[in-house]
């Protein structure tokens, strides 16, 4: 899109959201243009919490489908729209409701802990929900003698098991295709190219497993390492005195990092770490959703009520 067209469309979106009293939320992985027109940017759970606080009764969620569902669960009295209903998630799709129910039958006394990156239907079958930022706290809050079924991300699950020392965790073999594609060699090459670079990494990355022991001690090949959620990454780089960072997560987060820290250098661990589902949200689709007030995300009450319990338990621990 031409710069002039983009600017004009942004102005029209800003006018429409005020006229229609709509709040726009955008995930940190959204394209820069979409982040620019958002009232709030952040991670999925943080944005859902924000949705519950704002006075507007209509929320336009610029992210993937499970995120809009979570907002609808937390704010059942509000209308939640998404610019593209087809914006899905490979991690969320890695477990079905039948697979989860069968897994639970095999471990009838286990506590089920599920990542927020799951469908509303999956959340309705969980005992606890968690995020990458609080998964360790959630697992630590469960009695040590209880088996835990952790889903759906195997890399986050492996990281949590390592940090907590939990021996009775069963981990679902799911993954985010973007984070799973970031390899140790990608990171090593980038770290070698930058003097005194800090390394910030999302626990969904497949590279966390071979790096686990080094990363847990706070270093990797002599570089300081921090394993963090997306919001944790943003807070860390803002507060760090370092000037160079290698960032292992979806590349969309670099836009906000650079905005907030223009004097620092941010290098993606892999330039290929782009989520095609996140990038399905465009200014044109945001505009259409506002004009037509379409693509409402509705979670049936019986599913929402059960899913809300798992989320509220997580929030109580966080």
């Amino acid at each position: 899109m031409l710069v002039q067209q983009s600017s004009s469309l942004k102005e029209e979106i800003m006018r429409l959201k005020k006229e229609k009293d709509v709040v726009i939320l955008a995930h940190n992985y959204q394209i820069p243009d979409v982040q620019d027109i958002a009232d709030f940017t952040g991670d999925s759970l943080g944005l859902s919490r924000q949705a519950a606080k704002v006075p507007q009764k209509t929320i336009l969620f610029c992210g993937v489908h499970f995120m809009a569902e979570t907002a609808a669960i937390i704010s059942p009295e509000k209308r939640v729209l998404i610019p593209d209903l087809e914006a899905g998630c490979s991690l969320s799709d890695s477990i079905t409701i039948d697979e989860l129910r069968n897994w639970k039958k095999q471990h009838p006394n286990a506590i089920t802990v599920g990542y927020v990156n799951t469908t509303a239907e999956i959340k309705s079958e969980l005992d606890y929900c968690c995020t990458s930022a609080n998964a360790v706290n959630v697992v630590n809050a469960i009695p040590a003698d209880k088996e835990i079924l952790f889903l759906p991300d195997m890399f986050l699950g492996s990281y949590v098991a390592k940090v907590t020392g939990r021996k009775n965790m069963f981990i679902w073999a799911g993954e985010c295709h973007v984070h799973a594609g970031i390899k140790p060699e990608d990171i090593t090459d980038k770290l070698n190219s930058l003097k005194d670079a800090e390394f910030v990494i999302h626990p969904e990355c497949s590279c966390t497993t071979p790096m686990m022991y080094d990363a847990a001690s706070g270093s990797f090949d002599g570089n300081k390492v921090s394993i963090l959620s997306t919001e944790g990454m943003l807070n860390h780089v803002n507060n760090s005195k370092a000037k160079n960072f290698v960032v292992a997560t979806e590349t969309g987060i670099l836009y906000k990092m650079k905005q907030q820290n223009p004097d620092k250098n941010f290098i993606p661990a892999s330039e290929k770490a782009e989520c095609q589902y996140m990038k399905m949200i465009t200014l044109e689709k945001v505009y259409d959703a506002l004009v037509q007030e379409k693509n409402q995300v509705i979670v049936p009450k019986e599913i929402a009520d059960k899913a809300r319990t798992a989320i509220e338990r997580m929030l109580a621990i966080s």
Side-chain angles (χ1 to χ4, degrees), residues 58-165:
T58 300
I59 298 151
L60 182 56
F61 206 121
C62 298
V64 294
H65 198 269
F66 79 80
M67 298 178 181
E69 280 189 332
T70 305
I73 290 166
I74 293 177
S75 303
E77 77 288 355
K78 296 183 179 182
R79 180 175 60 162
V80 179
L81 310 177
I82 188 170
D84 192 328
L85 286 168
E86 298 302 313
C89 171
S90 61
L91 178 55
S92 179
D93 288 344
S94 66
I95 186 167
T96 67
I97 193 66
D98 288 339
E99 287 172 332
L100 175 54
R101 287 170 178 161
N102 287 335
W103 199 29
K104 288 173 69 174
K105 285 178 183 177
Q106 294 166 26
H107 302 270
N109 298 315
I111 301 296
T112 310
V113 179
Y115 197 18
V116 72
N117 296 40
T118 47
T119 65
E121 194 173 34
I122 292 292
K123 287 185 179 73
S124 73
E125 288 282 338
L126 302 176
D127 294 302
Y128 292 89
C129 204
C130 73
T131 69
S132 54
N134 62 27
V136 169
N137 288 344
V138 170
V139 167
N140 276 334
I142 296 168
D145 62 341
K146 284 286 189 181
E147 286 187 346
I148 293 176
L149 303 183
F150 189 95
L151 63 112
D153 190 84
M154 59 182 170
F155 301 115
L156 177 60
S158 296
Y159 171 71
V160 171
K162 165 63 182 173
V163 173
T164 62

Side-chain angles (χ1 to χ4, degrees), residues 126-129 138 308-318:
L126 302 176
D127 294 302
Y128 292 89
C129 204
V138 170
R308 196 175 300 113
T309 299
I311 295 170
E312 287 173 350
R313 284 175 178 164
M314 171 191 70
L315 296 177
I317 293 170
S318 303

Side-chain angles (χ1 to χ4, degrees), residues 52-53 67-68 72 83 95 138 160 175 177 217 223 228 231 244 248 261 265 278 294 302 306-307:
K53 294 178 185 177
M67 298 178 181
I95 186 167
V138 170
V160 171
E175 65 179 30
H177 73 287
S217 66
N223 297 84
L228 299 162
E231 282 300 294
N244 298 316
N261 303 276
N265 300 313
M278 285 285 185
K294 64 177 185 178
E302 63 274 14
K306 290 173 69 178

